[in-house]
Amino acid sequence: MSSIDSEQEPVTMIAALVSLSGKIAPIAAIAVFMAPIPTIRQISATRSVGSMPLLPYSSMIANGFLWFVYGALLEEQAVIIPNTFGMLLGAIYFAVFRQHCPKLASNLPGSLHNHIQAIAMIIGTTMLIYFILPTKSAADLIGKAGVTICMIMFASPLVALKAVLDTKSAKSIPLPFTLACLLNCALWSIFGLFEMKDFNIYFPNLVGFACGLAQLALKLIYGDGPAVLPK
């Protein structure tokens, strides 16, 4: 093997990894959106949301809608398709959570009404931007909003951090969602950075990967032990 071939081999491997990431990333994104299904089934079975936050599901609706519109502006099917699933599944999760959530709950964080207002405001504002601004300006603004909401969605299980530390139990952190987020964020970070070269794609996923590692660490340290508050 010549020295030129030796130098080209790592480059070829990286290119293959980027290409593979681009093919798997949309599937991984759908897997992320499906990951809460066991948690939602548990909520339905027990008819209780316990200390779980609503934020992962309300942010999933807003996040899915923003990225659906962003993908439509860029005419990028890899962004449109998974986020259509995310938006619809988020709405289903939200409905189930709402059905079994105490009406006066205020630790979701905030109240149920606050979440509904926030979702309506984000959808309404996004539609105004889509119809009023030129395509490039609209994509830039909606992309930046998507970055913010995406990071909130990935970090949302950490809302329960105080409860985890107080109870010495990480039961409120959904493991399927955390593992799916880690894989998804790794793939989109690679694809967004090296292929799409789109800050709006790779940056929130790098942050999401870091949040996923933090959640996994809490899960490994505390597990699903009995959530007994210290006396």
Side-chain angles (χ1 to χ4, degrees), residues 32-33 36 53-68 83 85-91 93-95 97 108-109 112 114-120 122-123 145-159 177 181 215:
V32 167
F33 297 133
L54 175 59
L55 190 57
Y57 314 121
S58 56
S59 61
M60 188 180 292
I61 299 172
N63 178 75
F65 185 79
L66 281 166
W67 289 108
F68 170 82
N83 284 289
F85 278 93
M87 183 170 47
L88 296 175
L89 287 172
Y93 302 153
F94 188 97
F97 193 103
L108 303 175
L112 185 61
N114 293 150
H115 285 254
I116 293 173
Q117 283 183 320
I119 292 170
I122 290 170
I123 291 176
V147 167
T148 303
I149 300 298
C150 190
M151 290 191 294
I152 290 173
M153 184 185 75
F154 288 138
S156 57
L158 289 176
V159 169
F177 183 75
C181 279
Q215 292 160 32

Side-chain angles (χ1 to χ4, degrees), residues 36-211:
I37 289 177
T39 303
I40 295 300
R41 290 181 65 182
Q42 178 188 343
I43 290 173
S44 295
T46 61
R47 299 182 179 277
S48 171
V49 299
S51 60
M52 296 178 190
L54 175 59
L55 190 57
Y57 314 121
S58 56
S59 61
M60 188 180 292
I61 299 172
N63 178 75
F65 185 79
L66 281 166
W67 289 108
F68 170 82
V69 175
Y70 183 73
L73 288 166
L74 297 183
E75 298 181 349
E76 183 61 67
Q77 293 297 316
V79 177
I80 293 173
I81 293 173
N83 284 289
T84 301
F85 278 93
M87 183 170 47
L88 296 175
L89 287 172
I92 294 171
Y93 302 153
F94 188 97
V96 174
F97 193 103
R98 179 183 181 182
Q99 183 180 0
H100 300 293
C101 176
K103 292 183 179 180
L104 299 179
S106 58
N107 60 335
L108 303 175
S111 67
L112 185 61
H113 187 63
N114 293 150
H115 285 254
I116 293 173
Q117 283 183 320
I119 292 170
M121 184 179 69
I122 290 170
I123 291 176
T125 304
T126 302
M127 292 307 297
L128 281 174
I129 293 171
Y130 178 83
F131 285 113
I132 292 175
L133 295 182
T135 300
K136 188 177 183 303
S137 299
D140 184 62
L141 194 55
I142 291 172
K144 293 298 184 290
V147 167
T148 303
I149 300 298
C150 190
M151 290 191 294
I152 290 173
M153 184 185 75
F154 288 138
S156 57
L158 289 176
V159 169
L161 179 60
K162 186 178 185 302
V164 170
L165 297 177
D166 286 345
T167 63
K168 308 299 181 186
S169 169
K171 191 174 183 178
S172 58
I173 295 178
L175 184 60
F177 183 75
T178 299
L179 293 176
C181 279
L182 279 170
L183 175 61
N184 176 70
C185 290
L187 292 169
W188 280 104
S189 295
I190 294 170
F191 186 58
L193 183 60
F194 296 104
E195 179 67 25
M196 297 182 72
K197 296 179 174 59
D198 188 338
F199 174 88
N200 293 333
I201 298 294
Y202 69 75
F203 179 73
N205 282 288
L206 287 172
V207 174
F209 187 76
C211 291

Side-chain angles (χ1 to χ4, degrees), residues 17-31:
L17 177 61
V18 171
S19 177
L20 182 63
S21 297
K23 292 175 182 177
I24 299 177
I27 300 172
I30 294 174

